[in-house]
Amino acid sequence: QYNDAFGDHAISCAMEGETIVRHNALRDDLHRSAITAGLTSRREVRRLLPGIDARPADIFIRRWIRRRDTAFDVTVINPLQRATVDRAAAGPGHALEVALRRKNTQSFEACQREDIVFVPLPVETLGGWHADAAAEITRIARALARETGKEERTAIQHLFKRLSISLARGNAALILSRKPNSLPPELTGDRSDRPTD
């Protein structure tokens, strides 16, 4: 696979599976934090919705929001893709709203019928979280602080930093696995720009 000049396409290209690896790294960071916080967290729970094969819960936490079972669905969106770049440039957070609506359309009503709170967790490839997602991640970090005795502010900062590192690693893997469209002359030996006698 080839890269574009700025890597914009590479960080959202699903051809080689690295987007799944990046997604799973974020999911696992949140799941481990919830477990350490003493929450009854499970990953990729099957058969939550009768008669539907979909798995809306990357992370499933029992009795979490308003003492109801909660399904968290992590989703990464690239604001630089053609479908969103113009409006994302004009209004920060546009791509996150697109991702939120898409996930809610897929699973919100089906989860509601089973008395499950469905919460998408959209994050941009460039690092910004949707405000609703950030609020839920902060709640998990606060539970982690209570369970471990850490200062709350420190626990929140550490969790968001951990997620940022996983996201950056995933982006780097996507870019590095793709060849550039063209190599600089010093690597190809092409000296066509050299002055002639």
Side-chain angles (χ1 to χ4, degrees):
Q1 294 297 316
Y2 285 91
N3 212 340
D4 56 290
F6 299 104
D8 297 345
H9 172 71
I11 57 175
S12 58
C13 179
M15 290 294 291
E16 302 298 328
E18 293 100 332
T19 54
I20 296 172
V21 174
R22 180 180 60 191
H23 165 277
N24 289 350
L26 295 170
R27 176 202 65 193
D28 291 348
D29 284 340
L30 289 168
H31 171 66
R32 283 192 294 266
S33 296
I35 289 291
T36 304
L39 306 177
T40 53
S41 177
R42 295 161 60 199
R43 292 181 302 181
E44 301 287 348
V45 179
R46 297 176 183 272
R47 294 182 290 278
L48 273 181
L49 307 175
I52 301 176
D53 193 39
R55 286 180 286 174
D58 288 322
I59 305 157
F60 185 73
I61 301 180
R62 290 276 186 191
R63 301 173 66 80
W64 178 238
I65 295 181
R66 298 183 297 278
R67 302 187 66 80
R68 293 167 62 196
D69 295 346
T70 303
F72 289 109
D73 193 343
V74 177
T75 182
V76 183
I77 187 167
N78 183 1
L80 303 178
Q81 63 183 294
R82 289 181 182 176
T84 58
V85 66
D86 290 341
R87 293 189 62 185
H94 168 71
L96 293 171
E97 291 296 336
V98 169
L100 185 78
R101 287 195 300 270
R102 183 174 63 228
K103 286 295 182 180
N104 277 330
T105 298
Q106 291 171 354
S107 302
F108 180 83
E109 289 185 3
C111 285
Q112 193 172 44
R113 286 194 295 270
E114 300 303 315
D115 198 31
I116 296 170
V117 180
F118 177 71
V119 182
L121 300 178
V123 60
E124 290 183 346
T125 51
L126 303 179
W129 289 90
H130 191 282
D132 294 346
E136 289 304 323
I137 293 168
T138 297
R139 288 189 66 215
I140 292 172
R142 284 176 175 152
L144 183 61
R146 289 193 297 271
E147 184 69 16
T148 61
K150 288 183 179 179
E151 183 183 343
E152 189 175 277
R153 181 180 175 185
T154 300
I156 294 169
Q157 289 177 341
H158 283 181
L159 180 51
F160 276 101
K161 286 178 181 178
R162 189 178 309 126
L163 293 167
S164 295
I165 291 169
S166 291
L167 183 63
R169 282 177 175 165
N171 290 341
L174 281 155
I175 291 170
L176 292 172
S177 69
R178 282 151 179 81
K179 301 174 185 176
N181 278 332
S182 60
L183 294 173
E186 58 268 25
L187 295 182
T188 63
D190 178 10
R191 303 295 294 172
S192 59
D193 60 338
R194 184 174 54 190
T196 57
D197 293 334

